[in-house]
Amino acid sequence: MNTVARASFHEGERTLQKRAGSHDMLAEVGPRVIREFMPQQHRDFFALLPFIVIGAVDAGGQPWASVIAGPAGFVTSPRDDLLQIAALPLAQDPVAASMVPGQRVGLLGIQPHTRRRNRANGRIDSVDASGFTVHVEQSFGNCPKYIQAREAAYVPDTARVSTGESMNALDAQARQLIAAADTFFIATAHPQSQGSDDPAQGVDVSHRGGKPGFVHVDASGSVLTVPDFTGNAFFNTLGNLLINPRCGLVFIDYTTGDLLHVAARGEIVTDPQAVDAFAGAQRLVRLHVEAVVRRRRAVALKWGAATLSPHLAPTGNWGASAQS
């Protein structure tokens, strides 16, 4: 087995790469594009952002995804393998309890209006009252294909009060938000993420985008189905799901600043009849909802209007033949 590929990707990712025919290419390319340090342009990029997306695993092994906001410059990089975040998740945030030194986390820096995004996965190095630092173990860029161009601005509000509500299932309001969404973020983890020293066996958080309504909510509200479009063929998210189906989603309400966190179990669907129900899909991801947390006014961000990615033009919509 190629030991260079092992250093960049774990067994779940390599399995899907082989199925897609990208394994041999990525065995060579992977070590060049997935680094143990951040190039200067990535370090500079994080410093521009008014928010980052974070993925973390709780004490029960459940991954959660969330959003942390602050004024531009609240994320800095004192050295090329360290990110310093001058903010913390609020108490109601599902990732708050995971802010412990040594815990693996996944970070995504994304600037939607320019369609730039960079990943930085690693371990929490330190935590104090002002924020936390992450020792970066994997740093790499992502293609901009399916990002909707909307600009975010940090708008501090000292009178803002965030509240949290836990639910066992999606209520009508949650279903409505998801059914209209054009974007969400998903956190996944290798089953050995907290015990392994292998950087490839960590926590990851990724962007997913599509036309409004690309997330199909079944009649019961307990199953979400999402098309998976062609991408960089790394299979970071799906590779994790293949060997550890637990995942966490977060949906942003761009009008209110609410965040909807969803804990789910994912399965990869390759049945041709099911996949053909959505034009442009390479496969589907079916997500079985297990727990929900709604946080009102969770992020102090003001969002501009969205311009859909032009790469979505050939993709379809869920029709009568879609799963229900």
Side-chain angles (χ1 to χ4, degrees), residues 102-116:
Q103 286 276 37
R104 276 241 175 86
V105 294
L107 299 177
L108 172 66
I110 184 168
Q111 192 176 54
H113 68 285
T114 64
R115 296 193 169 101
R116 292 179 64 192

Side-chain angles (χ1 to χ4, degrees), residues 84-169:
Q84 186 168 5
I85 298 94
L88 288 168
L90 300 178
Q92 305 94 337
D93 194 318
V95 307
S98 300
M99 295 293 102
V100 178
Q103 286 276 37
R104 276 241 175 86
V105 294
L107 299 177
L108 172 66
I110 184 168
Q111 192 176 54
H113 68 285
T114 64
R115 296 193 169 101
R116 292 179 64 192
R117 57 173 167 161
N118 292 314
R119 306 265 264 279
N121 301 336
R123 292 187 187 273
I124 296 177
D125 190 60
S126 64
V127 183
D128 60 27
S130 64
F132 64 104
T133 60
V134 174
H135 174 229
V136 175
E137 298 176 317
Q138 285 190 323
S139 170
F140 54 102
N142 275 157
C143 72
K145 273 187 178 179
Y146 309 113
I147 299 174
Q148 324 313 345
R150 52 163 63 87
E151 188 163 5
Y154 180 69
V155 182
D157 180 0
T158 56
R160 185 175 60 92
V161 177
S162 177
T163 60
E165 175 188 5
S166 297
M167 302 178 286
N168 294 324

Side-chain angles (χ1 to χ4, degrees), residues 1-293:
M1 182 175 292
N2 191 312
T3 56
V4 175
R6 181 183 293 276
S8 299
F9 302 104
H10 62 66
E11 65 273 28
E13 294 164 329
R14 293 195 303 271
T15 295
L16 294 181
Q17 290 166 9
K18 289 175 181 177
R19 292 178 187 174
S22 62
H23 175 267
D24 291 346
M25 179 269 291
L26 289 175
E28 178 182 351
V29 172
R32 299 203 299 268
V33 297
I34 299 179
R35 311 171 184 89
E36 295 180 354
F37 65 92
M38 294 173 289
Q40 189 63 48
Q41 64 176 347
H42 287 203
R43 300 170 70 190
D44 294 341
F45 174 69
F46 274 99
L48 300 173
L49 304 177
F51 75 97
I52 57 171
V53 185
I54 183 170
V57 178
D58 67 18
Q62 173 63 52
W64 293 95
S66 192
V67 178
I68 301 176
F74 86 110
V75 182
T76 56
S77 177
R79 62 175 195 256
D80 65 6
D81 65 348
L82 192 72
L83 283 175
Q84 186 168 5
I85 298 94
L88 288 168
L90 300 178
Q92 305 94 337
D93 194 318
V95 307
S98 300
M99 295 293 102
V100 178
Q103 286 276 37
R104 276 241 175 86
V105 294
L107 299 177
L108 172 66
I110 184 168
Q111 192 176 54
H113 68 285
T114 64
R115 296 193 169 101
R116 292 179 64 192
R117 57 173 167 161
N118 292 314
R119 306 265 264 279
N121 301 336
R123 292 187 187 273
I124 296 177
D125 190 60
S126 64
V127 183
D128 60 27
S130 64
F132 64 104
T133 60
V134 174
H135 174 229
V136 175
E137 298 176 317
Q138 285 190 323
S139 170
F140 54 102
N142 275 157
C143 72
K145 273 187 178 179
Y146 309 113
I147 299 174
Q148 324 313 345
R150 52 163 63 87
E151 188 163 5
Y154 180 69
V155 182
D157 180 0
T158 56
R160 185 175 60 92
V161 177
S162 177
T163 60
E165 175 188 5
S166 297
M167 302 178 286
N168 294 324
L170 299 169
D171 63 10
Q173 183 180 3
R175 296 183 198 183
Q176 183 178 17
L177 175 67
I178 293 172
D182 59 38
T183 299
F184 72 92
F185 302 94
I186 178 169
T188 57
H190 189 278
Q192 306 300 323
S193 62
Q194 302 308 316
S196 171
D197 291 328
D198 185 347
Q201 297 179 347
V203 179
D204 187 79
V205 66
S206 179
H207 164 277
R208 287 293 185 270
K211 293 176 182 177
F214 81 113
V215 182
H216 182 263
V217 185
D218 81 336
S220 71
S222 61
V223 180
L224 311 178
T225 305
V226 184
D228 185 66
F229 305 128
T230 181
N232 59 16
F234 287 6
F235 295 106
N236 303 120
T237 297
L238 299 192
N240 281 339
L241 289 178
L242 186 67
I243 56 178
N244 178 18
R246 303 180 77 178
C247 57
L249 288 61
V250 64
F251 294 85
I252 301 173
D253 187 319
Y254 295 105
T255 301
T256 65
D258 294 357
L259 292 182
L260 185 72
H261 307 269
V262 178
R265 286 187 177 268
E267 59 175 314
I268 301 167
V269 178
T270 57
D271 173 68
Q273 184 174 357
V275 174
D276 288 347
F278 199 102
Q282 302 293 301
R283 59 197 61 81
L284 305 176
V285 180
R286 190 175 293 137
L287 301 158
H288 301 266
V289 176
E290 297 194 333
V292 182
V293 177

